[in-house]
Amino acid sequence: MEKRSHPDPVDIHVGARLRLRRTLLGLTQDQLGKALNLTFQQVQKYERGANRIGSSRLYKLSQILDVPVSFFFDEMPDDMSQPSAGIVNNKKREDIDHFSRRETLVLVKNYYNIEDMNVRKKLYYFIKTLAR
């Protein structure tokens, strides 16, 4: 078997979705690793896309994290799933990197912890305005 020099874009996406859900649930890599009977280092490798997640492990992750298996593939760009996609272009890799950063995940988690929908909506528009 040929050794990969860089992670597959699909593995990176699935790993980012894993990290997103784990963080939103407030689980550490160590806690998730123990639930899977793995080390936190193995969870890190999954989240970076460095190691591919097998189907049985993906199913178990979906049970532990209380999401359907399809969750890990949600929001995946169409061209990434095509066999001819090859390496992700720089823009898409940058987007994936932003969504896998802890800062982003904590921000999203805290945003959804705001119970007042009006406050959340105002914050959303405020951030959107600042980003322009």
Side-chain angles (χ1 to χ4, degrees):
M1 181 178 274
E2 184 179 321
K3 187 174 180 175
R4 296 180 294 157
S5 60
H6 49 77
D8 186 282
V10 174
D11 295 330
I12 292 170
H13 180 83
V14 169
R17 299 289 293 173
L18 168 61
R19 183 173 184 182
L20 170 67
R21 184 63 179 166
R22 176 187 59 76
T23 303
L24 289 175
L25 291 175
L27 295 172
T28 65
Q29 289 176 334
D30 191 51
Q31 290 169 321
L32 182 57
K34 285 179 181 170
L36 292 165
N37 202 24
L38 298 171
T39 64
F40 78 91
Q41 291 96 334
Q42 183 63 42
V43 174
Q44 280 179 334
K45 289 178 183 178
Y46 284 155
E47 289 183 357
R48 285 193 327 260
N51 283 5
R52 185 166 287 158
I53 303 172
S55 57
S56 59
R57 177 117 334 122
L58 194 61
Y59 180 75
K60 185 161 184 159
L61 280 165
S62 75
Q63 292 178 317
I64 292 167
L65 300 175
D66 194 28
V67 292
V69 171
S70 61
F71 167 84
F72 298 103
F73 301 96
D74 287 349
E75 300 177 16
M76 187 167 67
D78 291 336
D79 62 345
M80 214 158 60
S81 62
Q82 295 174 4
S84 62
I87 299 172
V88 177
N89 68 36
N90 289 338
K91 177 64 177 152
K92 287 186 182 135
R93 185 172 305 277
E94 181 181 300
D95 289 344
I96 290 169
D97 289 344
H98 285 316
F99 289 111
S100 63
R101 292 177 59 188
R102 180 162 183 77
E103 175 186 17
T104 305
L105 300 175
V106 170
L107 180 64
V108 170
K109 181 180 179 182
N110 288 319
Y111 174 81
Y112 283 108
N113 283 338
I114 300 171
E115 292 180 16
D116 186 326
M117 283 291 275
N118 290 326
V119 172
R120 216 166 55 206
K121 194 173 193 176
K122 287 177 184 177
L123 180 60
Y124 170 80
Y125 287 116
F126 175 70
I127 293 170
K128 195 171 177 179
T129 301
L130 285 177
R132 289 184 195 152

